[in-house]
Amino acid sequence: MATVGKRAAARRSLRSLLACALLALSATVADAETITNARYAAPVERYGHFALGRPHEYARLTVSTAAGQRHALELPDDEVFEDLTPRLLTLAAGEPPELLVIVSHRNSGARLALIGLHDGRLDISAQSPPIGTPMRWLNPVGVADLDGDGQAEIAAVTTPHRGGTLRVYRRTGKQLLEIAALAGVSNHTYGSPELGLSTPVAIAGRTQLLLPDPTHRRLRLIALQDGQLVETAHCPLAAPLSGAVRQASATEVAVELRSGPALIALQDCPASAPGAAPQRIAR
């Protein structure tokens, strides 16, 4: 009986070792298939909008994985990546990295797309509705948890060159669904490769969006509140915005103006609510 017990214990031990080995192998494969960097390739002229200047319309996306594997996604002839650089991101903790890209279609214009690696292949895992008109573009503001629920939203400005609208999207299955919108913004100048005229900013533990109005003479601080986009403050600029906006500290943002670089103190930006005292940012 003792011998039988030892054999049973040995079999259990072997099964346990095999299970551990399979888990380790699965983890290794998963790590190997984790996207670590990406770029666009194969510039083309078949669309011909060139919102970012030449040659920034591409037919192919290429990625590398943690194990050094390479994969590519080729668009059909009626589409291009109208973009500079794919954005590597995760929308929630524990999710695998994906790429946020801009795809433009010959008939329906630009849309946002999330691209992931599944079973050794790159494919579109979620996307927003297209603008609906060719030669119309959109520029992402950023990816951030705007309502504090642990899931990041994607913010972008559609048609920034003509009546720009800030739109916030949330992933639902294979769709990026618009949950809020606000008109009166513009975060790009046609023909320029500068995409950084807007950014999420963290203020006293809360993330808001900072982006210029259509004149580029004023920055608007916008929050997602109760499912709506609301301007909480505005920052007049001494000269038109010409370059990137970035958060320099908990209370300041650095901007590039036509007159040169400048620092904007957020606590000095007047609150937008009528009759409210100027907004004060916690130090």
Side-chain angles (χ1 to χ4, degrees):
M1 294 296 293
T3 301
V4 173
K6 289 181 179 178
R7 288 175 179 172
R11 286 196 294 271
R12 287 194 297 270
S13 178
L14 180 59
R15 285 196 295 269
S16 178
L17 288 172
L18 286 173
C20 290
L22 287 172
L23 284 173
L25 179 60
S26 298
T28 300
V29 171
D31 288 342
E33 292 299 292
T34 297
I35 298 172
T36 54
N37 57 72
R39 65 181 182 88
Y40 297 120
V44 291
E45 299 197 2
R46 64 196 186 203
Y47 186 56
H49 187 210
F50 297 114
L52 311 175
R54 296 175 185 268
H56 303 304
E57 294 179 6
Y58 302 93
R60 186 182 307 129
L61 171 71
T62 64
V63 307
S64 299
T65 68
Q69 301 294 315
R70 294 185 181 277
H71 301 271
L73 175 64
E74 195 93 16
L75 289 178
D77 289 344
D78 56 359
E79 293 184 333
V80 297
F81 294 107
E82 193 173 8
D83 201 3
L84 291 184
T85 305
R87 303 149 191 83
L88 188 62
L89 57 86
T90 55
L91 295 180
E95 292 185 354
E98 293 181 291
L99 299 166
L100 177 64
V101 302
I102 305 169
V103 179
S104 292
H105 186 276
R106 180 183 300 156
N107 298 322
S108 56
R111 71 185 188 274
L112 295 172
L114 287 174
I115 293 177
L117 193 54
H118 308 103
D119 298 324
R121 291 184 54 194
L122 286 173
D123 57 29
I124 294 177
S125 53
Q127 55 191 329
S128 70
I131 288 174
T133 303
M135 307 298 172
R136 298 291 184 270
W137 189 69
L138 53 82
N139 185 24
V141 177
V143 177
D145 183 1
L146 299 176
D147 57 5
D149 67 349
Q151 182 82 16
E153 287 78 34
I154 299 172
V157 175
T158 57
T159 61
H161 314 126
R162 50 174 74 203
T165 298
L166 172 63
R167 303 184 191 275
V168 173
Y169 300 90
R170 182 172 293 149
R171 182 179 189 162
T172 303
K174 293 186 176 182
Q175 295 180 304
L176 296 177
L177 295 179
E178 180 185 316
I179 61 169
L182 183 69
V185 294
S186 171
N187 65 344
H188 186 252
T189 300
Y190 182 83
S192 170
E194 177 58 72
L195 302 185
L197 301 187
S198 57
T199 185
V201 291
I203 302 173
R206 178 183 182 186
T207 301
Q208 299 188 50
L209 303 172
L210 188 66
L211 60 169
D213 69 2
T215 70
H216 290 189
R217 296 295 301 255
R218 185 177 71 122
L219 291 175
R220 303 182 66 186
L221 193 61
I222 297 171
L224 182 63
Q225 297 179 352
D226 300 322
Q228 295 185 327
L229 289 171
V230 178
E231 180 180 292
T232 61
H234 57 277
C235 309
L237 300 175
L241 190 67
S242 62
V245 176
R246 62 179 180 83
Q247 187 156 16
S249 70
T251 60
E252 292 182 316
V253 292
V255 297
E256 291 291 334
L257 306 177
R258 288 183 188 173
S259 57
L263 282 176
I264 305 294
L266 293 174
Q267 66 266 24
D268 295 335
C269 296
S272 295
Q279 179 174 333
R280 296 295 169 183
I281 307 303
R283 293 183 178 276

